[in-house]
Amino acid sequence: MALDYEESKQKIIEGLKKKQKTKSKFYFNDLSKILNAKPREAKKIVNRMVEEGLLEYWSSGSTSMYGLPGTGKQAAAEHED
Amino acid sequence: MAKHETPMLDQLESGPWPSFVSDMKALAEKRAKNEEGIEFQIPTDVVEDILGVLELSYKHGRTHWKHGGIVGVFGYGGGVIGRYCDQPEMFPGVAHFHTMRVNQPGGKFYTTDYLRKLCDLWDFRGSGVMNMHGSTGDIIFLGTTTPQLEEIFYEMTHNLNQDLGGSGSNLRTPSDCIGQARCEFACYDTQDLCYDLTQEYQDELHRPAFPYKFKFKFDGCPNCCVASIARSDLSFIGTWRDDIKIDQEAVQAYIGGELKPNGGAHSGRDWGPFDIQKEVLDLCPTKCMWMEGKELKIDNKECNRCMHCINVMPRALRIGDDRGITILAGAKAPILDGAQMGTLIVPFIKAEPPYTEIKENVIEPIWDWWMEEGKNRERLGELMKRQGLQKMIEILGVDPDPRMVQEPRSNPYIFWKEEEVPGGWKRDIKEFRKYHQR
């Protein structure tokens, strides 16, 4: 059964906010675990959240991670809002 | 007068090889003079600052680049890598120095016009420094600022018919050899398969959801010019099922000296007359070739596709006619556990459009498994090692094949399961004890 977007969105935002004190960037696997969904199902939700600006990508060049926009050191260090 | 003193970099120029330092100095000078009147969109002295920061890194023995970034173009999670200098006051030209990856054309065929347009765009909106080609195969633009990213992306996609490549936890830019366009050894159309999979897997290329990087590479024959067997998670190597075709007259022409071995490639000095025994037959790794009088014979079932004989005598020996692909999985560079070569998973598969069998029976089941079971930053090869080849075979739904065993007895990783053995593991202990004491 396809995941409900609004419900999944809230789950991810709350899940990431809860861990905000220790982490600001998350692997894709962390997000699919929050949703308790198969990767391909989770990807649909995550992609839409990025499109809507609710999540942002971070890349080291070799690894990609996801975070809530404006969180973590990077956002301030890069002088980008 | 250079902006920064670079004594250590200058020393690199003294070696006998072409030097990237000399190239960068030349570019710095060109930008400073700007005879073409380009309206540089990023600092003119960017190249001088790269040399400066590199010299400082050599002096300190540490990098002065920060780790990664959040920048990108809208909708893409790859293709742009944020790079920032941790000494922006000293080197303002490279305070923001992002990398962009450009999806190289199939077989790396360009027209000069296309190359000039790429270079012009990069001189105008970037540092002008580029890398042809990165180890993934793509064209790498080194160094621009955040406001230029969308501009460059727009220009490339709207006017140059050109997409960004993959980076991060994405499918990386698929890479192929020159293939049937120029090479008589190519057993399938590498460029067609590479292009087809690039189009099919756009979502995987641009929106990261893999545990780590994933690479496809396509080699037309076992010469492996793009080194797919060593560098790609899924390696497609052309092969044939029937016999190597022999032109006995041409064999004699090589022996007689009328044809030059190796296509004349080793003509720099006199190596003496061609000796087929020493230069071909004795070097065959499976010893499957011999001469019977004036006839060259090959025991084809023993051939392991080393390609040596075909490379030495291309006019006499040709690839077979029943052609297809061998697929290997799990090659990687040595970050964890050392470097790994690919393991054979599909001995032979036909490569015919629309490649449905390759997509549905090989690529997608492997991705589903790796996406679910792979740990963060775990390459496919590491997962195969952790869970075993047997698991991989189950995922693909194929039968174990002796050709999958790389080294018999040292890595006997094909095991029987109880349900595969008649009678299972149960035995009659009384019957057993009749013949074996406790």
Side-chain angles (χ1 to χ4, degrees):
Chain A
M1 200 185 81
L3 296 172
D4 177 66
Y5 177 64
E6 291 302 321
E7 197 185 310
S8 308
K9 187 170 90 178
Q10 284 315 318
K11 268 192 195 169
I12 289 184
I13 293 175
E14 279 163 27
L16 300 196
K17 276 188 179 161
K18 242 189 255 171
K19 292 181 185 164
Q20 213 53 233
K21 276 190 184 160
T22 49
K23 280 206 261 186
S24 63
K25 298 284 174 280
F26 300 85
Y27 287 106
F28 179 79
N29 267 350
D30 301 334
L31 306 184
S32 47
K33 258 181 220 150
I34 291 175
L35 294 178
N36 197 18
K38 295 252 179 201
R40 285 189 190 278
E41 283 300 307
K43 186 173 180 179
K44 288 179 197 157
I45 305 284
V46 170
N47 276 347
R48 195 162 151 196
M49 289 181 71
V50 172
E51 216 173 282
E52 290 179 6
L54 298 169
L55 286 176
E56 71 182 5
Y57 296 118
W58 177 91
S59 171
S60 70
S62 65
T63 314
S64 304
M65 298 180 91
Y66 293 82
L68 296 169
T71 58
K73 283 185 212 163
Q74 203 90 41
E78 294 183 11
H79 313 291
E80 284 147 14
D81 301 318
Chain B
M1 175 73 191
K3 186 177 171 191
H4 306 284
E5 291 290 313
T6 55
M8 282 186 271
L9 292 183
D10 299 345
Q11 201 192 355
L12 290 178
E13 289 182 283
S14 63
W17 304 282
S19 167
F20 72 95
V21 177
S22 307
D23 284 352
M24 297 230 278
K25 284 181 180 173
L27 182 61
E29 211 179 302
K30 189 168 171 252
R31 281 179 78 93
K33 282 188 192 155
N34 192 17
E35 285 171 353
E36 291 161 39
I38 301 165
E39 286 180 42
F40 295 124
Q41 298 296 300
I42 73 165
T44 310
D45 59 357
V46 53
V47 185
E48 285 176 277
D49 280 353
I50 314 171
L51 291 168
V53 75
L54 186 57
E55 179 76 17
L56 189 69
S57 296
Y58 280 8
K59 192 171 152 196
H60 291 165
R62 291 188 304 273
T63 183
H64 284 287
W65 297 112
K66 294 186 201 174
H67 190 60
I70 55 177
V71 290
V73 295
F74 186 72
Y76 277 29
V80 177
I81 303 150
R83 290 282 178 249
Y84 299 90
C85 178
D86 70 3
Q87 289 293 351
E89 286 88 22
M90 231 186 285
F91 308 105
V94 295
H96 296 214
F97 195 74
H98 310 319
T99 296
M100 296 186 88
R101 296 203 174 165
V102 182
N103 190 329
Q104 78 282 5
K108 303 188 184 75
F109 273 106
Y110 325 104
T111 59
T112 48
D113 179 55
Y114 165 81
L115 267 184
R116 191 164 289 121
K117 281 180 180 154
L118 275 187
C119 293
D120 286 349
L121 172 65
W122 194 235
D123 278 335
F124 175 45
R125 296 201 175 273
S127 69
V129 179
M130 57 209 290
N131 188 347
M132 308 286 280
H133 293 256
S135 77
T136 297
D138 39 23
I139 301 164
I140 302 187
F141 281 175
L142 292 160
T144 193
T145 57
T146 308
Q148 299 306 318
L149 297 171
E150 288 288 358
E151 304 281 352
I152 293 166
F153 183 55
Y154 183 92
E155 179 67 20
M156 285 206 303
T157 47
H158 290 76
N159 299 328
L160 299 181
N161 195 20
Q162 177 60 58
D163 198 4
L164 290 184
S167 68
S169 304
N170 272 319
L171 171 64
R172 300 303 182 84
T173 320
S175 161
D176 58 349
C177 72
I178 205 159
Q180 289 175 336
R182 299 281 295 165
C183 179
E184 68 209 49
F185 300 158
C187 299
Y188 69 102
D189 189 343
T190 51
Q191 287 164 55
D192 189 56
L193 180 55
C194 184
Y195 184 74
D196 190 286
L197 296 187
T198 304
Q199 296 296 344
E200 177 87 18
Y201 297 121
Q202 281 286 300
D203 196 54
E204 282 73 11
L205 233 163
H206 299 307
R207 282 167 275 278
F210 287 151
Y212 203 17
K213 61 181 87 162
F214 195 95
K215 299 177 184 177
F216 285 151
K217 288 189 194 296
F218 308 90
D219 276 306
C221 80
N223 273 328
C224 247
C225 290
V226 289
S228 66
I229 197 169
R231 288 183 181 170
S232 60
D233 297 88
L234 217 49
S235 155
F236 300 81
I237 303 177
T239 189
W240 58 93
R241 272 192 295 203
D242 52 351
D243 295 349
I244 294 173
K245 291 179 286 184
I246 309 175
D247 176 345
Q248 297 292 355
E249 269 181 37
V251 173
Q252 288 308 313
Y254 278 108
I255 294 171
E258 295 97 75
L259 290 175
K260 287 203 165 75
N262 296 293
H266 303 291
S267 55
R269 57 174 269 205
D270 184 10
W271 296 89
F274 176 64
D275 180 345
I276 193 167
Q277 186 68 38
K278 201 170 124 203
E279 293 177 45
V280 179
L281 308 185
D282 289 352
L283 296 178
C284 174
T286 60
K287 303 280 178 274
C288 71
M289 307 177 80
W290 68 98
M291 294 297 292
E292 265 181 34
K294 289 201 159 187
E295 289 240 313
L296 175 68
K297 298 278 186 188
I298 302 176
D299 183 2
N300 279 279
K301 68 179 190 306
E302 293 297 329
C303 170
N304 70 356
R305 310 290 186 271
C306 86
M307 295 294 289
H308 178 72
C309 60
I310 297 180
N311 291 336
V312 175
M313 306 192 294
R315 296 273 291 274
L317 301 174
R318 305 258 164 141
I319 56 173
D321 289 326
D322 185 8
R323 299 168 191 168
I325 300 180
T326 293
I327 303 178
L328 296 95
K332 65 175 202 73
I335 292 181
L336 289 178
D337 272 355
Q340 250 171 251
M341 297 282 266
T343 299
L344 188 143
I345 54 166
V346 179
F348 187 91
I349 191 167
K350 280 282 185 187
E352 282 154 7
Y355 310 109
T356 313
E357 204 186 347
I358 293 175
K359 291 170 193 168
E360 291 179 3
N361 298 349
V362 182
I363 297 172
E364 287 159 24
I366 288 177
W367 278 351
D368 285 343
W369 174 50
W370 179 55
M371 286 170 82
E372 276 192 44
E373 299 284 331
K375 294 181 182 174
N376 294 328
R377 293 171 62 85
E378 184 175 52
R379 291 286 288 272
L380 177 66
E382 289 151 6
L383 176 64
M384 284 166 65
K385 219 170 164 185
R386 182 161 63 84
Q387 295 202 346
L389 183 70
Q390 195 174 18
K391 181 76 185 169
M392 176 91 170
I393 290 169
E394 266 179 50
I395 299 297
L396 292 172
V398 295
D399 288 330
D401 187 301
R403 287 166 291 189
M404 295 169 180
V405 181
Q406 198 167 12
E407 298 165 39
R409 295 176 188 85
S410 70
N411 59 344
Y413 42 54
I414 295 175
F415 299 103
W416 294 104
K417 285 183 177 171
E418 188 167 7
E419 61 269 22
E420 291 166 342
V421 179
W425 301 146
K426 291 185 187 71
R427 63 184 176 183
D428 181 347
I429 192 70
K430 281 181 187 155
E431 183 64 20
F432 179 78
R433 286 291 162 232
K434 276 189 204 166
Y435 306 100
H436 304 273
Q437 294 178 12
R438 270 183 89 86

